[in-house]
Amino acid sequence: MKPHRTAIPALIGLALLLAACESANVDLESRDFTVQQTSVPPGEAVASTEQITRLVHRSGPSYVTIVVSKSGPEATIGKDNRRGVAVASGSGFVVDGSGLVMTAAHVAKRTGNVVSVRAANGRVYSGDVIALKPENDMAIIRLRGFSGKPVVPGDNQCLRRGNFVYSLGRPHEQADTARLGEFESQSFGQGVRYSGDDAKFGYPDAMVLRLSTQKGESGGPLFDANGALVGMVVSTLYDNSGKPLDLAHAVPSRTLAGFLCGAVACTAEWRALATGVSSGCAS
């Protein structure tokens, strides 16, 4: 994807390394997360390494990495020996323990594409793209033989400017990454349409985040300070010279819920978000 470009002043980033802990309830692979901090979080945000470790440990089992392929003779995907040609890779998250995963539409490309997904247990599962909404950059994948830990959906409308948020994703040719930042706005104020090969994808609006993302992290989950899913990362912002800024866009959880519940059976928590019925915001 060629991300949207807009002229906004850049921020300064910090970095540290964080090793994910082994879970007693979920068979986690031994994976390390590189933690990138975009800006100094506000007073109520996660302040200690121990707290950050707990949050990533809690949400990490729901995060996956994705390779998407189309039909062709060049490569073999999955145990069923169907063949495919890799066309995209990105990040995603489990929305139902029976094998449903969400990612960005510009990662999934089209319905019917085959996918190879690496889950938190270290295993690679095969599946298919079963639903796509290119005009809002959302897609659903169904995996075979998978039973995993889903995200806990949260209400994006509970976010306020300056609130702590973090994302999980895998930049191309890099390690799994947790990005710490702040929520900026519920609305960018205009639609975005991608260019080049991804011209049919985009979104009518998006949340704005003070978060530095890179290619490969599209489709990754965005969490609040309680570890609840509040959105999905879809693009990075650039200045007019092409320099990436520490700003990103995310599709809100309410929009994700509407798409999910319209395409497949969903839980009561997702249905409440889809219908705009919130259980209340934590103080």
Side-chain angles (χ1 to χ4, degrees):
M1 182 195 75
K2 187 176 182 180
H4 175 64
R5 300 172 183 271
T6 187
I8 305 176
L11 303 175
I12 298 175
L14 302 175
L16 60 136
L17 292 177
L18 173 69
C21 302
E22 183 178 357
S23 171
N25 300 317
V26 179
D27 182 19
L28 283 172
E29 63 173 314
S30 178
R31 58 179 174 182
D32 293 339
F33 282 88
T34 297
V35 178
Q36 299 285 341
Q37 183 170 290
T38 296
S39 60
V40 178
E44 76 272 13
V46 176
S48 70
T49 300
E50 291 77 13
Q51 288 173 304
I52 294 169
T53 301
R54 284 197 295 271
L55 279 176
V56 174
H57 174 58
R58 182 189 308 167
S59 51
S62 63
Y63 151 73
V64 300
T65 55
I66 301 168
V67 175
V68 179
S69 303
K70 63 180 180 180
S71 298
E74 288 83 354
T76 300
I77 299 295
K79 295 180 180 179
D80 56 2
N81 291 323
R82 288 191 301 166
R83 295 182 176 274
V85 180
V87 293
S89 63
S91 304
F93 50 96
V94 181
V95 292
D96 187 279
S98 64
L100 293 180
V101 168
M102 291 195 78
T103 188
H106 74 266
V107 172
K109 298 298 185 185
R110 65 178 179 85
T111 55
N113 275 348
V114 294
V115 297
S116 176
V117 170
R118 183 175 294 278
N121 60 10
R123 293 182 57 189
V124 176
Y125 297 84
S126 59
D128 306 274
V129 180
I130 63 169
L132 199 77
K133 191 170 185 179
E135 68 274 18
N136 217 138
D137 208 2
M138 301 180 293
I140 300 172
I141 294 165
R142 187 184 297 279
L143 301 179
R144 291 179 287 279
F146 173 84
S147 179
K149 181 179 178 180
V151 294
V152 176
D155 192 345
N156 64 277
Q157 290 295 328
C158 293
L159 292 172
R160 299 293 180 264
R161 185 177 183 182
N163 283 172
F164 170 82
V165 292
Y166 68 101
S167 67
L168 299 179
R170 188 179 182 90
H172 290 162
E173 308 301 327
Q174 297 183 47
D176 294 305
T177 300
R179 299 201 182 271
L180 316 181
E182 298 177 5
F183 176 76
E184 178 68 19
S185 173
Q186 293 285 354
S187 173
F188 181 57
Q190 65 183 66
V192 170
R193 183 64 51 186
Y194 304 142
S195 59
D197 294 339
D198 289 328
K200 69 177 181 179
F201 302 108
Y203 40 91
D205 202 355
M207 298 189 298
V208 182
L209 317 168
R210 292 188 177 274
L211 198 71
S212 176
T213 61
Q214 298 179 23
K215 291 182 178 180
E217 295 176 63
S218 291
L222 178 75
F223 300 99
D224 65 13
N226 297 313
L229 182 100
V230 288
M232 177 180 71
V233 174
V234 287
S235 67
T236 297
L237 303 188
Y238 288 72
D239 65 17
N240 289 332
S241 66
K243 181 180 179 180
L245 305 175
D246 290 334
L247 291 165
H249 282 167
V251 176
S253 56
R254 285 196 177 192
T255 303
L256 297 173
F259 173 56
L260 177 66
C261 294
V264 296
C266 63
T267 64
E269 291 177 302
W270 283 109
R271 178 66 64 185
L273 278 179
T275 55
V277 178
S278 175
S279 59
C281 301
S283 56

